[in-house]
């Protein structure tokens, strides 16, 4: 989707021109709800957690933000502009 208003579900920064929609509970695990996120935030979520791990959070963003990899990402991205993008690497 282009040009949505509001803030990112993961990082709470204002949304930019590009917005993606994330299923907090994966569709493969019965999730239906979607939330707006920055593309870089969406990639960070899926780089750090599998669908099984995401399902365990039960769609709770506060729980997701306590994950060490996500917390590190959030500290790094906090002062970046809304349309900032960089390569995202999977956990090892």
């Amino acid at each position: 989707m282009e040009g949505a208003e509001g803030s990112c579900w993961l990082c709470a920064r204002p949304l930019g021109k590009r917005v993606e929609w994330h299923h907090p509970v994966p569709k493969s695990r019965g999730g239906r709800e979607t939330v707006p996120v920055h593309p870089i935030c969406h990639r960070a979520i899926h780089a750090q957690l599998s669908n099984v791990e995401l399902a365990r959070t039960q769609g709770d963003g506060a729980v997701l933000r306590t994950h060490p990899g996500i917390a590190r990402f959030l500290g790094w991205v906090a002062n970046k502009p809304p349309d900032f993008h960089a390569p995202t690497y999977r956990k090892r």
Side-chain angles (χ1 to χ4, degrees), residues 6-18:
S7 61
C8 177
W9 176 80
L10 181 66
C11 72
R13 293 180 301 137
L15 291 169
K17 291 178 184 169
R18 296 210 55 228

Side-chain angles (χ1 to χ4, degrees), residues 22-74:
H22 170 68
H23 288 87
V25 175
K27 283 177 24 177
S28 64
R29 303 290 176 196
R32 302 247 184 273
E33 175 190 4
T34 59
V35 292
V37 292
H38 295 106
I40 193 170
C41 293
H42 200 197
R43 279 154 191 73
I45 292 168
H46 290 289
Q48 293 293 320
L49 297 142
S50 68
N51 280 349
V52 171
E53 292 169 316
L54 279 172
R56 286 187 193 134
T57 68
Q58 298 182 350
D60 188 341
V63 171
L64 182 61
R65 289 181 205 95
T66 65
H67 181 278
I70 297 294
R72 190 171 43 253
F73 166 78
L74 291 173

